[in-house]
Amino acid sequence: MPPRLNPTLRQRRIGAELRKMREAAGLSTTKLSRALGIDRTQVSQMESAKVGVSPERLRSFAAACKCMNLPLIEALESMLQDRSKGWWEEYRGTLPDGFLENAELEKTSHELMIWVLTHMPGPSQTISYASAVFGRVIPPIPRHELEARIAFRMQRKADLRRNPKPLTAFIYESVLWTRFGGTQVLKDQLATLLEDSELPWMTIRVVPFDIETFPGAAENLTYAFGAIPDLDTVEQESSQGPEYLDAVSELTSYRRIFDRTEAAALSEVESRDLIRKIARNL
């Protein structure tokens, strides 16, 4: 079977966890390949997600690494057995892979925490607001791609509402004042944000200007909770596309950042009051 050219986010994560197993065991790819009775390049290809891994191979890999983390092994096995294709695949080749990977991360997570300081959380964006956000990209993107990005955003939003999961969005106050698309677009967006804050599965909390110190995150973040804590992922937004972090030290650091953010944020009721006040003042 030829190597995969574009492994998905899920496939890359499985490979990364295999690499972590091997490194935790202190084994080189050569030593592990001997224990498994396969070529060394096969180990490298499994860890880079260039080739698929069967549940049987996963368990052999874990046994050779003396990995006793049964919940992790079972969670990875479940990921391997899920061969369904997500709705986002219809956009492959039309939109940058980062868009598709964000949708996949959102879909496969069990819970989401979001921190935004530049624009409204994606799951709450209106069509007009999303159009204004994507329309400000420099250099301007072609109209067909702009329309595809807007359609993709709305499909992500609709999918999350069909299959809701706990979602907490921490919003820096400046986002509530920034007029993407003009005053009326922002007013409509704030009204939608207030409606979303009443959904039983969505929590909206504002981090106000007048806090003692900034929580610590200087970029938009998504903390996606996996089936087990070992499989949590942080998505860090940048102008070059999303970056996905899953090292234990990174996850620990970002959990602390979100803890500080939560401590600095207004309550849900106070947040709604501030959003209404800003809407009246526009």
Side-chain angles (χ1 to χ4, degrees):
M1 183 178 294
R4 292 175 178 139
L5 296 178
N6 294 299
T8 66
L9 182 65
R10 175 182 60 83
Q11 291 164 344
R12 296 203 308 272
R13 183 57 184 274
I14 293 170
E17 292 303 319
L18 294 178
R19 187 191 68 250
K20 289 178 189 177
M21 277 187 203
R22 177 179 59 77
E23 292 176 346
L27 295 174
S28 65
T29 54
T30 300
K31 286 185 177 180
L32 182 57
S33 66
R34 289 173 182 164
L36 295 174
I38 60 177
D39 188 84
R40 180 176 62 84
T41 57
Q42 284 183 268
V43 174
S44 297
Q45 288 179 327
M46 284 191 288
E47 293 180 356
S48 62
K50 295 298 184 183
V51 296
V53 181
S54 67
E56 294 75 19
R57 179 67 78 189
L58 166 66
R59 290 188 175 275
S60 297
F61 198 107
C65 295
K66 296 182 171 56
C67 176
M68 306 300 290
N69 190 341
L70 187 58
L72 174 62
I73 296 169
E74 291 177 343
L76 290 175
E77 188 171 358
S78 179
M79 290 169 68
L80 286 171
Q81 292 170 339
D82 181 8
R83 299 183 181 278
S84 60
K85 282 194 173 184
W87 60 263
W88 50 87
E89 288 297 332
E90 66 185 83
Y91 288 88
R92 192 168 296 280
T94 302
L95 294 178
D97 287 349
F99 280 73
L100 281 60
E101 291 173 345
N102 281 347
E104 182 181 6
L105 181 65
E106 194 170 270
K107 181 72 171 180
T108 57
S109 66
H110 287 231
E111 181 180 348
L112 295 163
M113 283 195 305
I114 301 173
W115 160 247
V116 289
L117 50 75
T118 57
H119 52 69
M120 294 288 178
S124 289
Q125 289 181 13
T126 64
I127 292 179
S128 297
Y129 187 91
S131 301
V133 170
F134 291 130
R136 62 175 287 279
V137 174
I138 298 176
I141 57 178
R143 183 170 184 80
H144 72 275
E145 185 175 337
L146 174 62
E147 292 174 349
R149 290 188 182 200
I150 297 167
F152 189 83
R153 161 50 63 201
M154 293 302 107
Q155 196 162 345
R156 277 179 66 182
K157 179 178 177 178
D159 186 67
L160 191 57
R161 279 158 171 71
R162 283 192 299 270
N163 305 283
K165 63 192 63 180
L167 186 154
T168 301
F170 296 104
I171 305 173
Y172 193 46
E173 185 178 344
S174 61
V175 172
L176 305 177
W177 290 97
T178 305
R179 306 187 192 201
F180 284 105
T183 301
Q184 190 56 51
V185 169
L186 180 56
K187 279 187 174 182
D188 294 342
Q189 176 62 78
L190 292 176
T192 295
L193 189 64
L194 284 169
E195 291 173 4
D196 284 353
S197 72
E198 301 286 356
L199 293 172
W201 51 274
M202 189 179 295
T203 300
I204 303 293
R205 295 182 62 186
V206 178
V207 176
F209 288 137
D210 60 345
I211 53 176
E212 289 296 322
T213 185
F214 197 71
E219 61 281 304
N220 297 336
L221 301 171
T222 297
Y223 193 104
F225 292 84
I228 59 173
D230 293 300
L231 295 177
D232 290 354
T233 304
V234 171
E235 183 260 314
Q236 182 176 288
E237 189 177 301
S238 78
S239 59
Q240 305 303 313
E243 180 180 2
Y244 302 99
L245 311 172
D246 56 45
V248 173
S249 59
E250 293 169 331
L251 295 175
T252 300
S253 175
Y254 279 102
R255 277 196 293 266
R256 289 174 180 166
I257 288 173
F258 271 100
D259 286 344
R260 287 205 300 267
T261 303
E262 183 174 16
L266 299 175
S267 69
E268 292 182 71
V269 172
E270 292 169 331
S271 296
R272 278 192 282 269
D273 287 343
L274 180 56
I275 295 169
R276 291 191 188 100
K277 179 180 178 181
I278 292 173
R280 287 195 301 269
N281 289 334
L282 287 176

